[in-house]
Amino acid sequence: MIKGIIFDLDGVLVFTDQYHYQAWKKLANRLGIYFDEKINHRLRGVSRRESLEILLENYHGAPFGEKEKAEMMEEKNRTYRELLKNMKRSDIPQSVRDTLVQLKNLGYLLAVGSSSKNAGTILEQTGLLPYFDYISDGNGLRHSKPHPEVFLKAAEGLGLPPGECAVVEDAQSGICAAKAAGMKTILMKGGNCSESVDLKIQRLEELVSVIYSSSSALVTGAFCK
Ligand code: B16
Ligand code: MG
């Protein structure tokens, strides 16, 4: 029986892909490293640190030290946070807010499970914060997705065993993390994922009807590819 729903943030509730891209691209340009949208796609759901390592795969000079890498991440994050200032409440469709309210009214506990250390800022700026019972984000995590830590922390924050939680994700790393946590998986369209999942949805707004009509699939684990 599913009692809690854990939402990934970027690619599910908000779409800051372009901001991440612009910020990494600016850093890559300064360093003379090739970086394009396809490479950026590989950064979905991946931590800032691992994103930098992926970007540096196309750097063929002398290896950078830890201090330089930390400065690069800080530089990217400064640009990203500047771009985040463009986000506003109206970026979140009313239908998404309505869906979250409906799920709450149906008795589900709601959490966010995001790799991002900027999750709090994004949730506050878009006015989404009050909809959630618990926020598990990239701050203080020892491991990033596909490790289950972020989702296990969310379940604990909701006071639920992992088996009573479903995760809505857009990225393969997140689906793997949810499975490793022993949770049900719901993949949002637009996500790149070759893993089998319990449910697929095109838009977040489908969640209420989908969860209701296929609650047996969530319980019995009738997987779809
Ligand atoms: P930050 P999610 C992830 O968010 C993004 O998908 C990923 O592209 C980003 O690198 C990661 O957060 C870390 O973000 O630099 O803000 O800490 O999809 O897990 O909500
Ligand atoms: Mg995501």
Side-chain angles (χ1 to χ4, degrees):
M1 174 85 167
I2 297 302
K3 295 184 181 160
I5 304 175
I6 305 171
F7 295 81
D8 173 48
L9 181 61
D10 206 14
V12 170
L13 293 166
V14 301
F15 299 88
T16 66
D17 226 42
Q18 269 307 311
Y19 295 156
H20 279 298
Y21 175 64
Q22 288 173 45
W24 284 123
K25 180 76 179 160
K26 191 174 170 198
L27 175 71
N29 285 348
R30 186 179 71 70
L31 297 169
I33 299 172
Y34 179 78
F35 186 73
D36 61 17
E37 300 245 15
K38 202 171 160 209
I39 302 171
N40 188 61
H41 202 63
R42 288 175 57 202
L43 312 185
R44 285 175 93 150
V46 170
S47 71
R48 197 181 305 168
R49 174 65 204 226
E50 284 162 89
S51 298
L52 177 66
E53 296 298 342
I54 292 172
L55 181 140
L56 291 178
E57 285 173 9
N58 284 315
Y59 176 74
H60 306 294
F64 291 112
E66 276 311 308
K67 189 166 170 278
E68 285 165 304
K69 286 185 182 179
E71 282 164 7
M72 286 175 203
M73 286 189 282
E74 193 44 49
E75 181 180 334
K76 180 268 172 178
N77 196 46
R78 268 198 306 275
T79 314
Y80 177 64
R81 287 186 65 87
E82 255 327 291
L83 292 165
L84 281 184
K85 288 182 183 163
N86 296 317
M87 289 204 84
K88 44 198 180 316
R89 296 176 75 92
S90 57
D91 288 340
I92 310 298
Q94 186 56 42
S95 52
V96 167
R97 294 178 197 278
D98 292 346
T99 300
L100 296 172
V101 170
Q102 274 177 287
L103 291 170
K104 278 219 83 93
N105 290 343
L106 286 167
Y108 290 102
L109 291 172
L110 307 183
V112 168
S114 167
S115 302
S116 177
K117 292 183 171 152
N118 293 300
T121 305
I122 296 170
L123 289 166
E124 262 187 56
Q125 213 163 310
T126 52
L128 280 176
L129 201 52
Y131 294 87
F132 297 95
D133 301 292
Y134 191 78
I135 309 297
S136 173
D137 65 17
N139 293 293
L141 282 190
R142 292 183 54 220
H143 310 280
S144 58
K145 300 170 187 175
H147 192 281
E149 185 180 1
V150 68
F151 294 137
L152 291 174
K153 204 173 142 210
E156 197 184 326
L158 293 179
L160 294 173
E164 292 183 2
C165 295
V167 170
V168 188
E169 258 289 351
D170 71 308
Q172 172 123 351
S173 59
I175 291 292
C176 292
K179 283 179 161 186
M183 298 176 181
K184 299 291 182 188
T185 49
I186 302 170
L187 180 68
M188 279 269 287
K189 191 202 162 204
N192 56 334
C193 183
S194 53
E195 287 286 316
S196 61
V197 293
D198 293 296
L199 288 171
K200 285 182 182 176
I201 53 173
Q202 307 288 317
R203 304 163 65 234
L204 201 77
E205 290 85 336
E206 287 169 36
L207 213 46
V208 175
S209 59
V210 159
I211 280 181
Y212 244 64
S213 63
S214 53
S215 54
S216 58
L218 282 180
V219 173
T220 60
F223 291 105
C224 54
K225 257 271 183 196

